[in-house]
């Protein structure tokens, strides 16, 4: 059998030698060639399929190895045998390179894309990258689209983004509908959201460049509202406030129109960044939408109310609460054509000539949306009857803040208005519930003041409310207050009762009232919300002054008034007010917009000192923004320092993006310079960090 096999191999090689024009000079070279060809044939694994019969062996060996391997590859693909197809393709490429028939390569990539195993999906990605380097003409847009979608669906965001970036580079991007689906899967994870937002930024950059050059296909590359909404919503879910701010500004830069969902998501991003002035700019447009859109703007009012509390602006809180209570009176009944218009909302000051402006259409909702906005319901809730109502948490914050400010009369008026307009969960007896909760907390003076205000407004008060407060006075031996309340109760209810009579009644009802207090009053949701609010007050909170100063710094940086921004920053330090991440993010953005990279390195020193003392925590997105700016400025020691910080905190790094930025700006920097050839210590030191970055980013 072995002799027969050798004889067939020699005959086959003789035929191949004439077609390939081999020139055999000697018997020695011939034997070497025979040995090589035998080894190659064994590698191709064609022998394993031979039949034991001589007839089948003759049939298998008819034709060249080129044809045999191609037939094996076609057969494996036809049978959907991924393992065999990959082996056949690998063997073929080792011997002959890529097949001339590109459809085979496309079918192989597609077959791998349909696999549910991440191993084969990664193989497909590696194959595409190999083809892009060696024979990019084989790449086909629809094949890459299937692969990117499969990778994203299998939660392999890094390879999926690699394919998307390759498609962008080769001008093979699919339609926006397909990109929606890829993004929908990418943004399910935090790392996927980082990559999706970075790719979106890259896509916007290419679009802006094409638009500036008046490129024919610019509009085809323009991202749409849905794509921005998917990424912005993910930024909110993963608390990526700074990244969300950047994506918002990209939306304005590219001229994409924000819809009702966009405004709701943008409200949450402004809330996370403490940008109340920015959020207030949308109110005039949101207030005018038709009542059927109210459910979409619940989150907007929730975020705005939250910021009013953070800024400790009691007047603004009272105004907004009153507005929500009277919401239906303010909403237009008939459709106004002006509501269909596109409005411009400035980012930063209204007076900036070159400032960015967000385009919004408040009553626009995307058709066939793939986005499901799951907004937080913390302060304001929406009911099926079309009403916006205040949660127990909102009422608790309202009570605590007005109590702290000593503005009880205004609090009572607001509570009565909320009760009258049915804007709470248990609106019919809201004021009584508030009084009972205050009694349970020991806030007897506040409870009595609210009760007085209710009487003054001729609002009905149940006898049980008087008895609850009276019992609390007797339990605390506050007889003078109890006597005054008895007199008040006699006048209000028309029931004649003396102090001694009341003492008897109180004594006889004591146990019953105590049980009622513990079971029905003390365990109400409002009571528990008030307890939680008091606990939160005792915890370390950001002072309202910080939000105000950060707003000033943000305004100055957007106006490129960097000196004023730095004066405000120095003022914070003089006042012993600890700057927050938002403070530094605003300053870094301000310097970056003016390409003042050296000043960012100085600011980075302040940030490191704050972190060393435990006063500051920096998000992954701000680290990345610093890294990009140091790359632009050529500060490679700082670049590697940021990378080390990110490694230390196990933060994801988008190497492909940093690599692209480096090659765009510093492609040939110190490429052929050796350390021994450096002229100065500074150059030698810089060379060391450049080489370290090249190695880390896998550039060489």
């Amino acid at each position: 059998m072995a002799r027969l096999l050798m004889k067939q191999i020699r005959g086959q090689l003789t035929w191949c030698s004439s077609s390939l024009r081999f020139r055999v000079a000697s018997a020695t070279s011939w034997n070497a060639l025979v040995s090589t060809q035998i080894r190659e044939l064994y590698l191709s694994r064609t022998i394993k399929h031979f039949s034991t019969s001589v007839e089948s062996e003759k049939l298998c060996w008819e034709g060249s190895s080129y044809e045999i391997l191609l037939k094996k590859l076609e057969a494996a693909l036809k049978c959907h045998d991924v393992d065999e197809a990959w082996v056949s393709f690998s063997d073929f490429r080792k011997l002959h390179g890529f097949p001339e028939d590109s459809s085979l390569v496309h079918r192989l990539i597609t077959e791998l894309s349909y696999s549910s195993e991440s191993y084969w999906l990664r193989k497909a990605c590696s194959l595409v990258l190999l083809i892009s380097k060696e024979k990019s003409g084989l790449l086909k847009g629809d094949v890459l689209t299937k692969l990117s979608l499969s990778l994203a669906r299998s939660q392999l965001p890094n390879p999926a983004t690699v394919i998307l970036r390759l498609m962008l580079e080769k001008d093979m991007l699919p339609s926006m509908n397909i990109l929606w689906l890829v993004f929908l899967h990418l943004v399910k994870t935090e790392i996927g959201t980082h990559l999706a937002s970075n790719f979106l930024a890259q896509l916007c950059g290419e679009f802006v460049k094409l638009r500036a050059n008046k490129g024919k296909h610019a509009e085809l590359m323009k991202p749409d509202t849905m794509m921005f909404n998917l990424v912005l919503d993910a930024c909110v879910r993963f608390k990526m406030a700074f990244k969300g701010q950047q994506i918002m500004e990209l939306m304005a830069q590219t001229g994409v129109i924000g819809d009702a969902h966009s405004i709701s998501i943008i409200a949450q991003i402004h809330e996370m960044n403490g940008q109340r002035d920015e959020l207030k700019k949308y109110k005039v447009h949101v207030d005018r939408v038709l009542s059927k859109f109210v459910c979409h703007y619940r989150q907007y009012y929730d975020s705005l109310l939250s910021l009013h509390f953070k800024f400790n602006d009691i007047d603004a809180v009272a105004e907004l609460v009153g507005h929500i209570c009277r919401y239906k009176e303010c909403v237009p009944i008939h459709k106004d054509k002006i509501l269909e218009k596109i409005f411009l909302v400035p980012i930063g000051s209204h007076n900036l000539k070159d400032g960015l402006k967000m385009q919004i259409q408040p009553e626009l909702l995307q058709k066939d949306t793939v986005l499901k906005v799951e907004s937080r319901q913390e302060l304001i809730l929406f009911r099926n009857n079309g009403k916006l109502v205040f949660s127990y948490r909102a009422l608790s914050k309202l009570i605590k803040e007005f109590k702290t400010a000593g503005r009880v009369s205004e609090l009572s008026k607001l509570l009565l208005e909320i009760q009258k307009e049915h804007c709470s969960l248990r609106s019919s007896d809201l004021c009584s519930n508030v009084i009972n909760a205050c009694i349970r907390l020991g806030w007897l003076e506040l409870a009595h003041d609210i009760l007085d205000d209710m009487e003054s407004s001729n609002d009905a008060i149940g006898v049980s409310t008087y008895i609850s407060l009276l019992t609390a006075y007797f339990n605390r031996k506050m007889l003078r207050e109890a006597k005054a309340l008895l007199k008040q109760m006699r006048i209000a209810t028309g029931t004649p009762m003396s102090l001694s009579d009341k003492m008897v009644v109180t004594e006889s009802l004591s146990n019953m009232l105590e049980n009622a207090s513990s079971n029905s009053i003390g365990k109400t949701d409002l009571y528990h919300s008030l307890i939680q609010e008091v606990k939160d007050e005792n915890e370390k909170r950001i002072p309202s002054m910080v939000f105000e100063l950060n707003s000033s710094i943000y305004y100055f940086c957007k106006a490129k008034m960097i000196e004023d921004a730095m004066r405000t920053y120095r003022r914070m330090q003089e006042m012993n007010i600890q700057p927050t991440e938002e403070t530094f993010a605003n300053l870094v953005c301000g310097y970056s917009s003016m390409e003042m990279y050296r000043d960012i390195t100085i600011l980075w020193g302040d940030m490191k000192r704050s972190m060393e003392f435990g006063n500051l925590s920096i998000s992954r997105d701000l680290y990345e923004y610093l890294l990009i700016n140091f790359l632009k400025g050529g500060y490679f020691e700082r670049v590697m320092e940021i990378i080390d910080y990110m490694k230390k905190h196990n933060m994801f790094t988008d190497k492909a993006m940093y690599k692209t930025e480096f090659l765009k700006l510093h492609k040939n920097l110190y490429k052929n310079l050796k350390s021994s050839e450096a002229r100065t210590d500074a150059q030698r030191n810089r060379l060391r960090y450049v080489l370290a970055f090249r190695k880390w980013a896998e550039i060489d």
Side-chain angles (χ1 to χ4, degrees):
M1 178 66 71
R3 289 180 181 178
L4 178 60
L5 179 59
M6 184 62 71
K7 183 177 179 182
Q8 289 176 338
I9 291 173
R10 290 181 184 276
Q12 178 64 33
L13 289 176
T14 302
W15 183 87
C16 290
S17 64
S18 60
S19 63
L20 296 173
R21 297 181 181 177
F22 285 161
R23 296 293 184 266
V24 182
S26 62
T28 304
S29 61
W30 169 253
N31 291 333
L33 182 61
V34 170
S35 301
T36 302
Q37 189 65 12
I38 291 173
R39 195 160 53 249
E40 290 173 345
L41 289 171
Y42 272 104
L43 282 172
S44 65
R45 295 175 61 190
T46 56
I47 294 174
K48 74 173 187 177
H49 292 290
F50 282 4
S51 170
T52 54
S53 68
V54 177
E55 184 178 353
S56 62
E57 287 174 3
K58 288 181 180 179
L59 180 62
C60 289
W61 282 103
E62 289 178 359
S64 66
S65 61
Y66 183 96
E67 295 171 344
I68 292 172
L69 289 172
L70 277 184
K71 288 178 180 178
K72 284 187 63 184
L73 176 58
E74 289 179 357
L77 290 172
K78 189 175 181 180
C79 297
H80 306 291
D81 188 344
V82 180
D83 297 77
E84 187 58 38
W86 181 258
V87 171
S88 300
F89 174 78
S90 300
D91 291 343
F92 183 91
R93 194 176 66 79
K94 289 175 184 176
L95 293 173
H96 309 289
F98 290 103
E100 293 180 2
D101 185 1
S102 60
S103 64
L104 284 175
V105 179
H106 298 157
R107 287 169 61 192
L108 175 61
I109 296 172
T110 301
E111 199 65 43
L112 294 172
S113 301
Y114 289 151
S115 174
S116 59
E117 299 179 27
S118 62
Y119 172 81
W120 290 119
L121 290 170
R122 291 181 186 276
K123 284 284 188 184
C125 182
S126 300
L127 175 58
V128 167
L129 293 179
L130 180 66
I131 294 171
S132 69
K133 291 177 182 178
E134 297 184 6
K135 202 171 182 180
S136 60
L138 286 177
L139 296 176
K140 194 176 179 183
D142 60 341
V143 175
L144 298 182
T145 298
K146 292 174 186 175
L147 177 57
S148 64
L149 183 56
S150 296
L151 289 165
R153 188 170 53 235
S154 298
Q155 292 306 304
L156 296 171
N158 220 336
T161 312
V162 167
I163 300 301
L164 286 177
R165 284 170 170 160
L166 180 63
M167 295 172 74
L168 178 60
E169 179 187 335
K170 302 294 182 184
D171 197 20
M172 294 181 177
L173 277 181
S175 65
M176 286 299 153
N177 290 353
I178 301 298
L179 279 178
W180 291 355
L181 296 177
V182 177
F183 271 53
L184 180 65
H185 292 293
L186 284 178
V187 299
K188 289 178 180 178
T189 63
E190 187 172 350
I191 290 177
T193 301
H194 289 308
L195 288 166
S197 58
N198 287 345
F199 176 74
L200 180 57
Q202 186 179 350
L203 182 60
C204 290
E206 291 297 321
F207 165 71
V208 170
K209 192 188 302 180
L210 279 175
R211 184 176 60 182
N213 297 329
K214 298 182 179 179
K216 296 180 180 179
H217 305 294
E219 288 302 316
L220 296 177
M221 193 178 287
K222 181 180 179 180
D224 61 6
T225 305
M226 181 60 63
M227 193 176 298
F228 274 102
N229 284 352
L230 284 168
V231 176
L232 287 171
D233 180 63
C235 288
V236 171
R237 279 189 286 111
F238 295 111
K239 302 187 186 305
M240 295 160 54
F242 181 62
K243 180 66 76 175
Q245 176 70 31
Q246 291 177 299
I247 298 299
M248 256 174 44
E249 294 181 6
L250 279 175
M251 193 173 184
Q253 189 178 357
T254 52
V256 175
I257 299 172
D259 63 0
H261 289 316
S262 306
I263 297 171
S264 175
I265 301 167
I266 286 170
Q268 296 176 77
I269 292 171
H270 282 313
E271 180 189 352
M272 290 191 293
N273 285 311
Q275 297 167 346
R276 183 175 67 151
D277 290 339
E278 294 297 300
L279 187 55
K280 285 165 67 176
K281 296 173 186 176
Y282 291 84
K283 189 173 184 297
V284 64
H285 306 296
V286 172
D287 287 345
R288 299 175 65 183
V289 300
L290 295 176
S291 56
K292 65 179 181 180
F293 290 94
V294 172
C295 58
H296 299 290
Y297 289 104
R298 181 208 60 77
Q299 182 61 59
Y300 173 82
Y301 291 112
D302 191 300
S303 296
L304 184 58
L305 183 59
S306 175
L307 283 173
H308 286 331
F309 280 122
K310 288 180 180 178
F311 277 76
N312 197 27
D313 191 343
I314 304 300
D315 292 325
V317 168
E319 183 182 350
L320 183 59
V321 168
H323 173 78
I324 291 173
C325 288
R326 301 183 297 273
Y327 190 85
K328 282 196 173 181
E329 299 173 13
C330 306
V331 173
I333 301 174
H334 301 292
K335 183 72 176 176
D336 189 348
K337 289 185 178 180
I338 197 171
L339 295 176
E340 299 177 354
K341 290 177 61 176
I342 296 172
F343 300 96
L344 299 179
V345 178
I347 295 177
S349 172
H350 292 80
N351 302 320
L352 296 178
K353 292 181 180 180
D354 300 325
L356 291 174
K357 290 180 173 59
M358 180 73 73
Q359 299 183 50
I360 61 166
Q361 197 169 345
E363 293 195 353
L364 174 66
L365 287 172
Q366 300 296 314
K367 296 180 179 179
D368 303 322
T369 179
V370 295
L371 174 68
K372 184 180 180 181
V373 179
E374 297 179 357
S375 55
R376 298 170 293 107
Q377 297 197 36
E378 294 190 3
L379 302 180
I380 298 176
L381 313 175
F382 178 76
R383 288 293 171 259
N384 293 333
N385 61 358
K387 292 281 291 183
L388 294 176
V389 300
F390 297 99
S391 68
Y392 289 123
R393 184 180 178 189
L395 293 172
S396 299
K397 293 177 81 69
L398 191 71
I399 295 165
K400 184 184 72 66
E401 294 299 333
F402 275 84
K403 174 183 177 293
T404 304
R407 298 168 63 169
V408 180
S409 178
E410 293 175 64
L411 171 63
S412 300
K413 289 180 181 178
L414 285 174
L415 291 174
L416 286 167
E417 187 172 8
I418 293 170
Q419 179 174 282
K420 178 183 176 182
E421 299 296 335
H422 304 285
C423 288
S424 68
L425 295 176
R426 294 180 61 185
S427 56
S428 58
D429 55 354
L430 171 64
C431 292
S432 296
N433 288 341
V434 170
I435 292 173
N436 288 330
C438 290
I439 292 170
R440 182 65 179 168
L441 284 166
W443 298 348
L444 303 186
E445 184 179 356
L446 177 62
H448 203 149
D449 288 342
I450 295 174
L451 190 146
D452 290 343
D453 292 332
M454 289 179 67
E455 286 183 354
S456 300
S457 64
N458 296 320
D459 194 75
I461 306 170
V463 176
S464 61
T465 303
Y466 285 99
I467 294 177
S468 296
L469 182 55
L470 192 64
T471 303
Y473 279 145
F474 272 96
N475 289 340
R476 296 195 177 201
K477 310 298 182 185
M478 300 172 68
L479 299 181
R480 185 168 60 87
E481 289 80 359
K483 184 176 181 179
L485 181 61
L486 273 172
K487 182 179 179 181
Q488 186 177 340
M489 179 179 174
R490 186 177 66 248
I491 296 172
T493 61
T495 305
M497 188 177 293
S498 66
L499 180 59
S500 57
D501 292 335
K502 181 57 193 171
M503 291 177 67
V504 173
V505 172
T506 302
E507 187 176 351
S508 64
L509 296 177
S510 177
N511 294 330
M512 181 186 72
L513 290 171
E514 285 181 9
N515 291 334
S517 295
S518 60
N519 293 329
S520 63
I521 298 174
K523 292 186 179 180
T524 61
D525 291 329
L526 179 59
Y527 167 74
H528 286 298
S529 294
L530 273 169
I531 288 288
Q532 187 61 47
E533 198 60 37
V534 172
K535 288 180 180 178
D536 292 344
E537 185 181 21
N538 296 329
E539 294 178 0
K540 187 177 180 181
R541 297 174 63 184
I542 300 175
S544 59
M545 180 62 72
V546 174
F547 292 105
E548 293 174 8
L549 293 171
N550 280 347
S551 295
S552 298
I553 291 173
Y554 175 83
Y555 167 84
F556 289 134
C557 288
K558 288 300 174 189
K560 297 190 177 180
M561 301 166 64
I562 199 67
E563 292 181 0
D564 294 277
M566 285 305 297
R567 271 195 287 270
T568 307
Y569 169 63
R570 298 302 177 199
R571 183 184 165 202
M572 291 180 75
Q573 294 177 319
E574 291 168 2
M575 296 169 66
N576 291 322
I577 296 177
Q578 178 59 44
T580 62
E581 181 184 3
E582 288 74 28
T583 311
F584 289 113
N586 291 333
L587 290 169
V588 172
C589 288
Y591 279 129
S592 179
S593 66
M594 302 174 70
E595 299 183 357
M596 299 171 68
Y597 304 117
R598 182 177 178 277
D599 295 271
I600 297 178
T601 64
I602 298 171
L603 199 61
W604 167 238
D606 289 355
M607 296 165 73
K608 285 192 293 183
R609 280 188 289 274
S610 293
M611 287 190 291
E612 288 169 3
F613 287 109
N615 297 323
L616 179 68
S617 178
I618 295 181
S619 68
R620 179 252 170 216
D621 295 317
L622 183 52
Y623 274 123
E624 180 173 84
Y625 192 65
L626 286 166
L627 196 159
I628 290 294
N629 277 279
F630 290 149
L631 268 178
K632 289 178 178 178
Y635 294 99
F636 287 94
E637 184 175 356
R638 301 285 82 80
V639 168
M640 295 310 298
E641 195 174 4
I642 295 291
I643 290 171
D644 288 339
Y645 268 91
M646 294 180 78
K647 282 182 181 177
K648 181 180 177 181
H649 294 92
N650 296 318
M651 294 177 176
F652 169 74
T653 52
D654 189 358
K655 281 189 182 182
M657 185 176 73
Y658 315 144
K659 179 179 179 179
T660 301
E661 193 69 28
F662 176 87
L663 293 175
K664 184 169 66 176
L665 300 170
H666 313 287
K667 184 176 183 179
N668 298 315
L669 181 63
Y670 298 154
K671 188 174 183 179
N672 300 315
L673 183 67
K674 297 179 181 179
S675 180
S676 58
E677 298 172 348
R679 297 178 180 178
T680 63
D681 290 340
Q683 189 181 42
R684 190 176 298 107
N685 191 48
R686 188 164 186 252
L687 172 62
R688 180 161 60 90
Y689 287 110
V690 170
L691 294 177
F693 177 80
R694 295 180 77 99
K695 181 179 179 181
W696 176 81
E698 301 172 2
I699 291 175
D700 297 325

